[in-house]
């Protein structure tokens, strides 16, 4: 059964990667918006949406406060993780992982969705942190929100090993 899930996820990943370059330029990965609509929204607007989500999460749980100075800081608005060193990316991954697992109990809330939108746009968590995203939201596997996130996650073959 686990291998069946792994093969289904692998097929989904391959279908997504076959998307043409032209379409990929018109469509962006998004948790809140349709792909074409997301492509028309500038990074500053997504940052504002994400920051608003973080602000709301901070009102619910003060442990989110630390992320205002890291993942949701104006200083990272232009960060391109592809250009970062291995060590910088390791620190970034750890911060993202910590955020995701702290956010997990709130996954179905609007503030969490807003915050995730920023992390998807800026840090491409659906590509670089696919295992952590999936592990954090797995308890919600019967929800529409889970399926929405699953459709934008890009799995590598090594990621699928966790399914058997």
């Amino acid at each position: 059964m686990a291998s069946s899930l792994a093969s289904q996820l692998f097929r989904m990943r391959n279908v997504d990667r076959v998307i043409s370059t032209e379409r990929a330029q018109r469509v962006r990965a998004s948790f809140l918006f349709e792909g074409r609509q997301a492509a028309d929204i500038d990074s500053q607007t997504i940052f504002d949406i994400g920051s608003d989500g973080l602000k709301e999460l901070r009102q619910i749980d003060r442990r989110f406060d630390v992320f205002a100075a890291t993942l949701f800081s104006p200083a990272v608005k232009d960060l391109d993780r592809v250009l970062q060193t291995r060590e910088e990316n390791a620190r970034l991954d750890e911060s993202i992982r910590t955020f995701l697992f702290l956010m997990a109990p709130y996954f179905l809330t609007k503030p969490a969705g807003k915050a995730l939108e920023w992390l998807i746009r800026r840090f491409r968590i659906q590509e670089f942190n696919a295992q952590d995203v999936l592990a954090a939201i797995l308890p919600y596997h019967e929800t529409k929100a889970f399926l929405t996130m699953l459709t934008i996650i890009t799995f590598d073959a090594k990621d699928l090993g966790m399914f058997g």
Side-chain angles (χ1 to χ4, degrees):
M1 181 136 169
S3 62
S4 174
L5 178 58
S7 65
Q8 289 173 2
L9 290 172
F10 187 75
R11 282 195 305 273
M12 286 176 61
R13 184 201 83 182
N14 286 336
V15 168
D16 287 343
R17 289 190 179 187
V18 174
I19 296 172
S20 70
T21 303
E22 180 181 311
R23 181 167 182 259
Q25 291 173 351
R26 291 183 290 140
V27 178
R28 277 194 182 264
S30 176
F31 183 67
L32 298 178
F33 307 103
E34 294 295 322
R36 290 180 187 190
Q37 181 185 9
D40 292 336
I41 302 173
D42 64 277
S43 291
Q44 179 62 48
T45 301
I46 298 296
F47 175 77
D48 293 341
I49 290 168
S51 295
D52 184 57
L54 179 66
K55 179 181 173 185
E56 294 174 48
L57 287 169
R58 291 171 70 189
Q59 291 171 352
I60 297 168
D61 188 334
R62 300 310 300 181
R63 293 179 294 171
F64 284 103
D65 288 352
V66 66
F67 299 105
T70 58
L71 298 176
F72 294 84
S73 166
V76 300
K77 288 197 300 189
D78 295 320
L79 180 106
D80 185 348
R81 72 182 298 166
V82 174
L83 302 177
Q84 302 302 302
T85 66
R86 185 177 303 231
E87 294 78 22
E88 290 168 327
N89 272 314
R91 285 191 302 273
L92 178 60
D93 287 340
E94 184 57 36
S95 185
I96 289 169
R97 183 178 304 108
T98 302
F99 178 85
L100 289 171
F101 286 99
L102 183 58
M103 178 273 322
Y106 309 104
F107 175 62
L108 297 180
T109 68
K110 288 185 181 190
K114 292 176 182 180
L116 285 168
E117 189 67 22
W118 168 247
L119 298 179
I120 290 165
R121 174 70 67 97
R122 176 49 44 216
F123 302 112
R124 296 166 44 192
I125 63 169
Q126 76 283 2
E127 294 175 47
F128 295 106
N129 305 92
Q131 286 186 3
D132 292 329
V133 172
L134 187 59
I137 67 171
L138 197 56
Y140 303 96
H141 66 278
E142 294 181 350
T143 67
K144 183 179 179 198
F146 177 86
L147 293 175
T148 299
M149 185 61 81
L150 192 61
T151 63
I152 64 171
I153 293 176
T154 305
F155 292 103
D156 287 329
K158 66 176 177 57
D159 294 334
L160 300 175
M162 69 180 145
F163 296 108

